[in-house]
């Protein structure tokens, strides 16, 4: 194991630590849980942060669940949270498309029911089945039911000029039995077949970080805690946040050594992060 001190950039982190963080953006997969299993110490660590008065926003690149789904999962694990504290890539995707396209724009969505509900809630018209070939927008989010028919319809719409948006580019996400394909794996097929490149909203893109930061309005010292160097750490740096990497999910200590963008702090997990604040 690489020493935390060897990876620490002390000036920024120690300055923030002395001033005390008043807001944290916390990733879910690989930080709070892996699959349905809480990471050891994560529930107590979040309770300790809340007891200190730290405002928390939970941020995930997973577009498969609704904000209420994630709030319920957190609550069932013993973590006090409501959907107003949750930012998903599905929520960010719907918000961005609604900003850039006109209300009522026809969208063919590859994704979960939760993703489609976010799009419809943003005032967009969902096209299903072969009707999706005439859609003005194709929206992509990872889901376990991805099928060739979806790829075919998306390809036809894109080759006729539809605009492509996606919830993220993560290739995989951590699960107890090993990594599973994420949105980026599906998006790669859609981009290749459709002959175009997507506008992406998920981490490390600025849009989803801005959305998360808007929920911490008034906080002066905000950090992100994540397990993915390219998504959480690189994106957090671009957003001007202090970055804290946990090694309980995707990234390893060897990855950190080879990384071009280094986190401000590296710890084993959320429980270890709490100990740095004492």
């Amino acid at each position: 194991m690489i020493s935390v001190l060897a990876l620490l950039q002390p000036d920024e982190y120690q300055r923030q630590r002395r001033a005390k963080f008043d807001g944290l953006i916390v990733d879910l997969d690989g930080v709070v849980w892996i699959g349905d299993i809480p990471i050891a110490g994560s529930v107590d660590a979040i309770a300790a942060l809340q007891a200190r008065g730290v405002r928390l926003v939970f941020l995930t690149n997973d577009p498969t669940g609704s904000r209420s789904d994630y709030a319920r999962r957190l609550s069932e694990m013993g973590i006090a949270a409501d959907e107003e504290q949750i930012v998903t890539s599905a929520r960010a995707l719907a918000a961005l498309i609604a900003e850039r396209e006109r209300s009522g724009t026809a969208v063919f969505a590859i994704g979960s029911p939760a993703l489609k509900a976010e799009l419809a809630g943003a005032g967009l018209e969902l096209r299903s089945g072969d009707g999706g070939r005439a859609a003005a927008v194709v929206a992509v989010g990872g889901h376990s039911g991805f099928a060739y028919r979806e790829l075919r319809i998306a390809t036809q719409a894109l080759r006729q000029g539809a605009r492509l948006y996606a919830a993220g580019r993560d290739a995989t996400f951590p699960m107890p039995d090993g990594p599973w394909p994420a949105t980026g794996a599906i998006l790669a097929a859609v981009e290749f077949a459709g002959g175009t490149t997507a506008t992406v909203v998920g981490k490390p893109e600025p849009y989803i970080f801005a959305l998360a930061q808007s929920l911490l309005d008034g906080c002066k010292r905000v950090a992100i805690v994540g397990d993915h160097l390219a998504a959480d750490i690189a994106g957090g740096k671009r957003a001007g946040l202090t970055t804290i990497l946990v090694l309980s999910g995707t990234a390893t200590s060897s990855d950190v050594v080879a990384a071009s963008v280094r986190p401000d702090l590296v710890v084993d997990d959320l429980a270890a992060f709490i100990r740095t604040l004492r």
Side-chain angles (χ1 to χ4, degrees):
M1 177 65 65
I2 295 175
S3 165
V4 169
L5 292 177
L7 296 171
L8 188 63
Q9 297 174 5
D11 291 344
E12 173 61 14
Y13 180 71
Q14 294 295 349
R15 181 181 69 79
Q16 292 278 17
R17 178 186 171 187
R18 284 193 298 270
K20 298 184 180 178
F21 296 106
D22 53 0
L24 283 178
I25 298 170
V26 182
D27 184 28
L28 291 173
D29 288 309
V31 177
V32 176
W33 59 52
I34 294 180
D36 293 326
I37 303 171
I39 292 170
S42 64
V43 173
D44 289 342
I46 290 171
L49 289 167
Q50 291 172 327
R52 289 169 176 257
V54 179
R55 290 170 58 191
L56 301 179
V57 167
F58 298 97
L59 176 63
T60 178
N61 263 8
D62 183 357
T64 58
S66 68
R67 286 170 283 164
S68 60
D69 289 337
Y70 289 112
R72 183 174 60 253
R73 284 183 64 185
L74 288 166
S75 296
E76 288 171 351
M77 290 179 180
I79 295 170
D82 60 52
E83 64 180 89
E84 297 305 315
Q85 293 174 269
I86 313 292
V87 176
T88 70
S89 58
R91 170 72 180 113
L93 181 61
L96 181 66
I97 295 174
E99 283 183 16
R100 294 198 175 185
E101 307 287 342
R102 292 178 297 179
S103 178
T105 294
V107 177
F108 177 70
I110 295 175
S112 67
L115 172 66
K116 294 174 182 178
E118 288 281 12
L119 293 166
L124 301 163
E125 178 194 339
L126 293 180
R127 295 285 179 89
S128 60
D130 285 338
R133 292 183 297 177
V137 166
V138 173
V140 176
H143 72 125
S144 60
F146 179 56
Y148 183 83
R149 184 167 183 253
E150 289 181 304
L151 178 60
R152 172 179 61 79
I153 294 167
T155 299
Q156 291 169 337
L158 293 168
R159 292 283 180 174
Q160 294 179 109
R163 296 169 292 284
L164 178 61
Y165 294 84
R169 287 195 182 278
D170 290 350
T172 63
F173 61 93
M175 289 292 282
D177 62 348
W180 286 20
T183 295
I186 294 173
L187 178 60
V190 174
E191 287 182 324
F192 190 69
T196 191
T197 300
T199 297
V200 176
V201 301
K203 299 176 289 183
E205 300 302 324
Y207 190 87
I208 198 167
F209 282 92
L211 192 57
Q213 287 176 277
S214 73
L215 301 181
L216 293 172
D217 186 42
C219 290
K220 303 297 184 184
R221 295 163 299 279
V222 179
I224 180 167
V225 184
D227 72 308
H228 198 293
L229 284 161
D232 301 311
I233 303 308
K237 290 283 188 183
R238 287 169 62 185
L241 303 172
T242 300
T243 55
I244 299 153
L245 179 75
V246 294
L247 300 178
S248 50
T250 300
T252 66
S253 55
S254 298
D255 294 331
V256 180
V257 172
S260 57
V261 178
R262 291 281 187 89
D264 295 303
L265 178 68
V266 180
V267 290
D268 287 337
D269 49 32
L270 271 179
F273 169 60
I274 290 295
R275 290 193 291 273
T276 73
L277 299 178
R278 291 174 182 167

